[in-house]
Amino acid sequence: MEKIFPYSHLLSFTKKVFQQMGCAEEDAAVAAEVLLSADLRGIDSHGVARLSGYIRLWQAKRINPTPAIKVIHETPSTAVVDGDQGLGLVVAPYAMKLAMKKAEQVGTGWVSVQNSNHFGIAGYHAMMALSNDMIGMAMTNASALVAPTFSKEKMLGTNPIAVAIPAGTEPAFVADFATTTAANGKLEILQRKQQHTPEGWVQDENGEASIDANILKKNGSLLPLGSDKTHGSHKGYALGSIVDIFSAVLSGASYGPWAPPFPAYIPMPENMPGNGLGHFLGAMRIDAFRPAETFKSHMDNWIGRFRNAEPIDPSIPVLIPGDPERIIEAERLKNGIPLLPVVVEDLVATGDLFGIRL
């Protein structure tokens, strides 16, 4: 059975772990908040279940807990940031704040990041812009686990895209999705539950369809959004490629099959063409296009009309991107975050490394 933990308890525990890694208190607090935002929003695959993964990367000297994050190139509306091998959970918020600052000054801001690591859920970073009447965007490349359409070789990451758009009286529109049929974290959850994947998520090393949740450990691969060519996988492949190019080719990070793997036990690729993992963050000031209040009023109208679209099944209403996560967040803030026993065991072992009790 799952065990329930208050959000504040897990946040405090996670912050202490990051501090024991050597992170400054402020960075540890940011990293913990970003990581726990996944659990709050029901994206359990990217939350505290991955805390030990960051620890293993740090032990392998692939994460710098005290990075000197810096801008290495910029114009009034753009910048490239070097994350100095820091936690992506810290580097990406730094870059997003810079994008927002540039948007405040000139209308839009775009920041590409090199030399970083896994940054948690993309939605957190995109949503940072909402309170400033800005539209936020966030992307990142990731470990090569995805085979392009017609290939059996792993070339791309799950490469998520997030877009957050403010409204007036309605909740914000927040789209946050992997460019694969399913994110790798969903496989990890199925592995913990000892369950198979649905059809169309993965293929084996020969490119044949599979439902084995452990197939990546057997040289299989994830499939792009759409699963196969007949169902539009070429579109998912294109979206994942765009994220890879914006995040890594544009910034000077390593791209495609050379992206640094998240699992510490996987050796770094040879002949890497860039520095670390890459991100791409963007902010657009709404009043650079039209008055913010007018825009938000029309977003309310847009959301209301779509929410009231005639459903196929009257018991299953049409949702707006961000609705499920917002509902889960409210429930978990009130009642706590459920964790699978195997995740609890992992957190206990992680705490024991540093003398921190879960």
Side-chain angles (χ1 to χ4, degrees):
M1 290 182 60
E2 293 176 327
K3 187 172 181 180
I4 308 296
F5 291 85
Y7 166 71
S8 58
H9 180 87
L10 290 177
L11 186 69
S12 175
F13 172 82
T14 304
K15 177 184 173 182
K16 290 176 183 176
V17 169
F18 282 130
Q19 284 183 285
Q20 287 298 312
M21 276 176 56
C23 295
E25 183 176 2
E26 182 178 353
D27 286 352
V30 170
E33 181 179 324
V34 176
L35 195 64
L36 263 294
S37 70
D39 295 289
L40 273 184
R41 293 178 66 77
I43 311 171
D44 300 333
S45 57
H46 284 57
V48 291
R50 287 203 163 171
L51 181 58
S52 63
Y54 292 99
I55 298 300
R56 287 189 288 271
L57 285 175
W58 167 68
Q59 291 172 326
K61 302 190 184 304
R62 284 169 49 186
I63 283 181
N64 176 8
T66 56
I69 306 169
K70 63 187 179 213
V71 175
I72 58 175
H73 178 77
E74 68 179 322
T75 72
S77 63
T78 66
V80 177
V81 165
D82 185 317
D84 194 25
Q85 276 193 294
L87 282 163
L89 304 167
V90 174
V91 177
Y94 173 99
M96 190 60 186
K97 288 178 182 177
L98 178 58
M100 291 162 56
K101 181 179 179 181
K102 288 181 176 293
E104 186 65 41
Q105 294 169 343
V106 297
T108 66
W110 305 98
V111 179
S112 203
V113 179
Q114 63 165 259
N115 206 9
S116 186
N117 280 283
H118 193 280
F119 77 176
I121 58 169
Y124 177 93
H125 311 295
M127 291 172 66
M128 288 175 63
L130 292 174
S131 60
N132 292 302
D133 279 348
M134 295 180 185
I135 294 171
M137 295 179 64
M139 309 175 192
T140 184
N141 74 335
S143 311
L145 301 172
V146 185
T149 302
F150 301 139
S151 178
K152 60 183 180 180
E153 184 178 1
K154 295 188 284 289
M155 296 290 288
L156 289 169
T158 53
N159 294 9
I161 299 171
V163 179
I165 305 173
T169 57
E170 292 282 356
F173 174 108
V174 181
D176 182 2
F177 57 95
T179 53
T180 47
T181 302
N184 180 41
K186 298 290 179 64
L187 286 172
E188 294 170 350
I189 291 173
L190 291 174
Q191 290 166 18
R192 295 179 195 121
K193 294 181 176 180
Q194 298 183 335
Q195 296 176 354
H196 292 304
T197 75
E199 293 182 2
W201 281 24
V202 294
Q203 64 183 19
D204 66 19
E205 63 180 338
N206 297 313
E208 299 295 329
S210 174
I211 57 170
D212 183 354
N214 292 284
I215 200 68
L216 295 182
K217 300 173 183 177
K218 304 171 185 176
N219 209 32
S221 53
L222 290 168
L223 294 172
L225 185 62
S227 273
D228 56 34
K229 181 66 166 61
T230 302
H231 296 93
S233 68
H234 57 292
K235 299 175 183 179
Y237 167 33
L239 285 170
S241 299
I242 289 168
V243 173
D244 198 41
I245 293 165
F246 278 29
S247 300
V249 180
L250 196 60
S251 69
S254 282
Y255 43 81
W258 296 285
F262 182 75
Y265 64 83
I266 298 177
M268 294 288 272
E270 296 180 358
N271 303 314
M272 296 172 71
N275 297 317
L277 214 60
H279 317 311
F280 186 77
L281 295 304
M284 295 183 283
R285 209 175 69 218
I286 290 168
D287 66 6
F289 297 89
R290 67 187 304 192
E293 292 307 313
T294 304
F295 171 86
K296 291 194 290 184
S297 174
H298 281 281
M299 276 302 299
D300 285 345
N301 190 44
W302 189 97
I303 290 169
R305 181 64 185 90
F306 275 75
R307 202 184 294 286
N308 289 298
E310 185 176 356
I312 297 169
D313 180 341
S315 69
I316 305 176
V318 175
L319 299 174
I320 303 301
D323 278 352
E325 294 87 352
R326 176 175 51 81
I327 292 167
I328 291 172
E329 181 171 5
E331 192 276 328
R332 289 187 172 185
L333 277 173
K334 179 181 178 181
N335 298 318
I337 295 170
L339 299 179
L340 292 170
V342 66
V343 175
V344 175
E345 292 171 11
D346 194 41
L347 290 177
V348 169
T350 297
D352 287 346
L353 284 175
F354 303 110
I356 303 170
R357 185 175 180 180
L358 178 62

